[in-house]
Amino acid sequence: MLPAQYRMTRSADFGLTVSRGVRAGQPDLVVHALRSAGDASTPKVGLVVSKSVGNAVVRHRVSRKLRHVARGLITDLEPGDKLVIRALPSSSDAGSARLEQELRTALRRVAEKSGARR
């Protein structure tokens, strides 16, 4: 489970991260990342799992997998970073290992695009 202090809960944070952040796509998910310069708060991670992924049971299963995977990546994020993970419909069939691999790849691509090292 992703600890509460790392969860993105405000709609404004989601909107800001998606609109101004750097995007990297993978077959099962899309990652939007926004690096906040000078912000000393903890990194925040938000999930977007829409109805296109499946019914409520499937969406919750995908959300649990993504939260578990994101928990392991918190140490790779800088303080103040904001990360939105959007699940694509194909994520309903993906295992945790595959989602973790795709998330790591997406974070690496985001870091390359933004010119920052992670």
Side-chain angles (χ1 to χ4, degrees):
M1 189 65 151
L2 189 63
Q5 65 184 358
Y6 298 116
R7 292 185 203 152
M8 187 181 298
T9 56
R10 295 180 42 217
S11 176
D13 289 341
F14 277 90
L16 184 69
T17 304
V18 170
S19 65
R20 293 191 185 169
V22 178
R23 183 177 64 88
Q26 291 293 301
D28 298 319
L29 50 90
V30 176
V31 172
H32 299 271
L34 181 63
R35 179 169 241 165
S36 299
D39 190 0
S41 66
T42 61
K44 301 287 185 185
V45 177
L47 302 177
V48 178
V49 184
S50 71
K51 286 186 177 182
S52 66
V53 173
N55 64 22
V57 174
V58 173
R59 291 194 310 270
H60 288 316
R61 185 180 307 130
V62 170
S63 295
R64 284 192 304 270
K65 287 178 187 178
L66 288 174
R67 278 195 304 268
H68 177 74
V69 168
R71 181 181 184 188
L73 299 175
I74 288 292
T75 57
D76 297 343
L77 300 175
E78 299 290 326
D81 282 357
K82 290 181 174 44
L83 185 70
V84 172
I85 304 166
R86 183 167 50 93
L88 297 177
S90 60
S91 65
S92 63
D93 299 326
S96 293
R98 183 165 130 193
L99 291 173
E100 181 176 4
Q101 178 187 13
E102 289 186 11
L103 185 55
R104 287 188 185 277
T105 302
L107 286 175
R108 201 167 33 252
R109 289 181 60 202
V110 162
E112 291 170 2
K113 287 181 180 181
S114 65
R117 298 181 117 198
R118 291 200 182 184

